[in-house]
Each structure stands twice: as structure tokens, then as C-alpha cells.
Amino acid sequence: MPGMKMPGCPDTASQQPSGGQPGQAPNNAASNAAAQGDLMTMRPQTFLQGIVHHAGSGTSFEPVSTPTPMLMTVKRGWMLMLHGNAFVLDQQQSGARGGDKFFSTNWAMGMAQHAVGRGLGGGVFTVRAMISLEPATITGRRYPLLFQQGETAFGAPIADGQHPHDLFMELAALYDMKIGGKGLLSFYAAPIGDPALGPAAYPHRASAAENPLATLGHHQQDSTHIAADVVTVGLAYGMARMEASGFHGREPDENRWNINQGKIDSWSARFTLAPGKDWSGQFSYGRITSPEALAAGENQERMTASVMYNRPFASGNWASSAVWGRTQSISGGASGSAMAGVIFNSYLLESTMRFRRRYAAWTRIENADRSNELILGEQPPPAGFEERRAGRVQAYTLGFDRDFDFVPYVATAIGAQVTVYGVPDSLRAIYGARPAGIAMFVRLRPSSTVQEKGQ
């Protein structure tokens, strides 16, 4: 499977960077494939090829030059791919609200692609399945993450913790049809999937590939990456793309082993721009119906914007993202009128650099509004409770890891990261002035790269 040379793709056995982060320029085979206008290729060279590559969740897009560590082969005309990430970690946090836990965050995605027809109507058919074992590897229905809010555990709101992902993160079928020399029409359908709202979700961003923990702005930026009954249509031309989605707005319930379903009651639209191989940006807007189980009468308006930059170099890669997310609750009255609620904003800057083939260093900086529900802890809000902003929290993370050759075709790293927090005055009596957390981990991911001995 690994090392097989595929038509229009480079020989994976010749790649050097450990950790599955190819940093070398594409070879002549990949360049020829791009020149011929082929949509299916292991290393995309154009915006349209990058879309059809479908390396992330849903129809999200990162810069064309972004490397994707994976195993690939071709069987009877089908291009088969497997990639993912798994962290086994111990998390320690300070302060009265801090928690300590040993757990694993993880996901794996299998994908198959096949060319269909020629000429008008011809294109690429893709099926994809993404799973996570977090329902088993994260006990207690959450792991400790200071200042995090969102979803429930045992019927109570989660505070200072992150929920696990569902077993089925995505089950999707996609069809991409080329229109002329510069156009692409795309269709996406998924009983569980990711609508066109927000950037590539944090578990799938190259700029966050070595970070085992969730972002504080997850529920303002990209929490719809696991949504029920998603349909998306997209049209790309030149360096721009426009998408529209319909989906079921309710967040996944606490039974993380099942497949949630519901009527399509929410919608979103996303505009993506890719002015070069190393850059991409998006702006998206969505109206989400009743996303939270404990506030079933509240709908949500969400806006996000992001810019991503990726730069490959001889012995590594540098990936960065800047993300903004904004949510506002919209309460519908009996007459159908809507009442606007409080606005929450979150801002993120993250960057990961892989260098000297084996090493990676990263940072994540966040500035996120928090709700006064955080003050209640994991107690249900009392009667008459009104949600409002409690203040804005900052989180500063630095991390480092190193790859080792423990298992063939599995990129294995040992690393650690430290996070310190800036706490607003309104929350200092509960959290203290400077809480912090440290996570030590082993990271594993499928990789077809071959590390030379002695490097």
C-alpha cells in the first residue's frame, strides 16, 4: 500500500519528512498531472485539485500547498486514502476549577475516489467515513479544559471541559464535476457531516495538527463540523468558490455512539478565496435552529472569517491560521418575531512549524468571550436566569514534539504543551489570577513517508 507510485502522483516512498508532513517541491509527475487538468492527484497543484482532494472535513478548504499525511494506494481504478490523528495524553491544570485526567483525543478518516465519465457531466465521485473512539477514550463524557463551554454531560451544562466527538464524525458522498477549464460544480450529502460554515475544523487544520486539545472558540467558529443531514452545493471558478448548505441545527446528543438525525431546519453560506498555492480565506454565515438542548427555544446566528497561510520548505512546513467567530442567540416569539440576544466573539491565531524533518513547534493564542453560565459551573441555570457576557478570556499555548521511528508507516511523536490564561476581573475570584495547564502526550498518525536512518 505505502510506496506505490500512482498515475499523476509522486512516489510516496521518496518523501523524507517525518510525521507525514511533506515539505519538498512536487516532482515532475505531479506537475504534469496539473498541466493535464486531472482532478484526482495526491499532491494538488491548483485550486480545483485542492477542492477535489477533500483532505479535511466536509467541503472545507486549506491552502493548496498544505501537506496531508496519509496512506494512499490505487485499486481497480479507485484511489484509496487513510489519514487521522491520535493523541494519548495526560492533562494537568491548576486552580480550583482545574482538572487532571489521562485520556485520548483521536479521529481517523478513510476515503475512496473514482473518476466518472468523460466530457460534460464527467467528474470525480468520493465516499468518505470519519470515526472517533473518543466516546470510549474520554471517560465522564468530557475532559478538563479551563474556561471551555458547550454541550452537556449527564444532563448538565459542561463547564471547564470539552465533550468527546461522536463515533461517527462524518459519513458522506461527494461529486465534483469540472465545468470548462476553470470551473467546478460540487455536491455533498451526508447523514453526518460538515456544512459550509466556518474554516476547516480545529482537529483537521494543519496549523493545529500537533495540538491535542480543543480551541476555546470552538462553539463560535467551527462546532457544526458534526451536524446531521447535511446537503451542500458549491460552485468554484478561478480562485473563488461559493457554497450553500442545509442541515439539522441541533448539536449531537450525549449518546456519542449513535447517528443523530433530524429535519433540515438550518442553513449556511460560505465564500472561499484562494489567491495562490500558499493562501486561502473564507467568510461564512449561518442561521442555526435550536442548537443547544438546554435552550431549545433559542436559535443562533453565526458569522466566521479566517485566513490561512502555508509555506513548505526543504525540511519541513509552516502552517498558520487566523480565525474569528461570532454568535448571537435569536429567540423566536409566538408571532414569529425574533429577539436578538447577547453577542459572543472569539479570536484565534495558531501556527505550527515542522522543521529538520523530525521536530515540530507550535503556538495557539485565543481571546474569547465567556458567558456568565461559566460562573454557575455545571449547575442548571436557575429560573429567570439571563445569559450575558462574563468577560473575555485569553489563552496562550506553546508546544513542542519530536518524531521517532517506532512503528513502520505510523508517524509517532512524544511532546508536551503549556497553556497559561488571562482572566477577567469578573472571574478571578473563581479561577485565580493566572491558572495554567500542561499536557504531555504521545501522538500517532498514518504516514507513508520513510525516514532515513541517522537523520
Side-chain angles (χ1 to χ4, degrees), residues 130-434:
M130 188 187 314
I131 64 169
S132 173
L133 295 180
E134 288 180 4
T137 62
I138 297 175
T139 58
R141 302 185 182 180
R142 60 201 178 284
Y143 65 80
L145 187 61
L146 281 168
F147 300 102
Q148 184 67 303
Q149 295 180 274
E151 303 199 21
T152 62
F154 303 104
I158 295 176
D160 301 302
Q162 172 65 31
H163 61 81
H165 290 113
D166 283 25
L167 171 65
F168 297 103
M169 297 177 68
E170 184 180 40
L171 298 171
L174 307 93
Y175 188 72
D176 299 283
M177 181 174 65
K178 199 166 184 181
I179 302 174
K182 296 183 178 180
L184 187 74
L185 182 62
S186 302
F187 302 93
Y188 173 91
I192 293 292
D194 186 355
L197 182 58
Y202 76 86
H204 311 296
R205 290 197 294 263
S207 57
E210 306 299 323
N211 192 323
L213 302 177
T215 61
L216 290 184
H218 179 46
H219 284 268
Q220 286 85 46
Q221 297 166 2
D222 54 21
S223 63
T224 55
H225 73 116
I226 303 179
D229 298 291
V230 182
V231 291
T232 300
V233 60
L235 178 64
Y237 186 84
M239 63 179 182
R241 188 188 197 196
M242 191 70 202
E243 300 171 273
S245 293
F247 58 99
H248 183 61
R250 178 60 61 88
E251 294 173 336
D253 60 25
E254 292 188 38
N255 182 358
R256 302 290 175 176
W257 298 97
N258 67 353
I259 296 178
N260 300 125
Q261 289 189 298
K263 67 178 182 179
I264 295 177
D265 55 13
S266 306
W267 64 270
S268 65
R270 178 169 59 199
F271 176 73
T272 301
L273 196 64
K277 288 185 179 181
D278 297 337
W279 290 92
S280 72
Q282 67 85 30
F283 176 82
S284 53
Y285 175 88
R287 296 292 291 263
I288 308 172
T289 298
S290 186
E292 299 181 13
L294 296 182
E298 290 188 0
N299 304 329
Q300 187 183 94
E301 178 184 66
R302 181 178 299 182
M303 286 188 285
T304 80
S306 62
V307 176
M308 296 183 177
Y309 173 75
N310 186 78
R311 182 178 179 180
F313 52 90
S315 60
N317 191 79
W318 179 31
S320 301
S321 299
V323 183
W324 164 71
R326 175 190 184 274
T327 59
Q328 183 175 23
S329 60
I330 305 294
S331 300
S335 63
S337 63
M339 181 178 64
V342 65
I343 294 173
F344 294 92
N345 286 282
S346 63
Y347 307 86
L348 172 144
L349 177 65
E350 65 186 13
S351 188
T352 296
M353 178 175 287
R354 176 165 293 280
F355 58 98
R356 295 182 62 186
R357 310 192 189 281
R358 290 182 179 271
Y359 303 92
W362 63 93
T363 186
R364 176 184 286 165
I365 301 171
E366 293 193 82
N367 193 16
D369 289 335
R370 299 292 86 175
S371 162
N372 58 342
E373 289 182 346
L374 199 61
I375 298 173
L376 302 175
E378 296 192 341
Q379 301 299 319
F385 179 82
E386 292 186 7
E387 185 180 25
R388 57 179 175 82
R389 286 179 64 249
R392 187 167 286 177
V393 172
Q394 295 79 43
Y396 308 92
T397 299
L398 287 174
F400 177 85
D401 66 24
R402 184 189 191 278
D403 272 286
F404 294 89
D405 298 325
F406 292 145
V407 182
Y409 305 115
V410 176
T412 307
I414 297 175
Q417 68 177 39
V418 176
T419 302
V420 296
Y421 297 90
V423 185
D425 293 340
S426 58
L427 297 176
R428 289 197 174 193
I430 300 172
Y431 290 90
R434 191 65 66 180

Side-chain angles (χ1 to χ4, degrees), residues 69-91:
M70 62 172 62
L71 299 176
M72 302 184 70
T73 190
V74 172
K75 296 289 187 181
R76 298 181 180 178
W78 286 89
M79 184 182 292
L80 308 176
M81 288 155 276
L82 173 67
H83 67 120
N85 239 4
F87 296 90
V88 179
L89 67 149
D90 184 72
Q91 164 91 325

Side-chain angles (χ1 to χ4, degrees), residues 61-125:
F61 184 81
E62 294 187 90
V64 173
S65 65
T66 304
T68 305
M70 62 172 62
L71 299 176
M72 302 184 70
T73 190
V74 172
K75 296 289 187 181
R76 298 181 180 178
W78 286 89
M79 184 182 292
L80 308 176
M81 288 155 276
L82 173 67
H83 67 120
N85 239 4
F87 296 90
V88 179
L89 67 149
D90 184 72
Q91 164 91 325
Q92 306 282 330
Q93 295 182 321
S94 67
R97 288 283 189 94
D100 306 333
K101 194 164 190 169
F102 180 77
F103 60 99
S104 171
T105 56
N106 53 82
W107 61 271
M109 184 172 80
M111 184 167 68
Q113 292 187 309
H114 196 285
V116 179
R118 292 182 178 274
L120 184 64
V124 176
F125 175 69

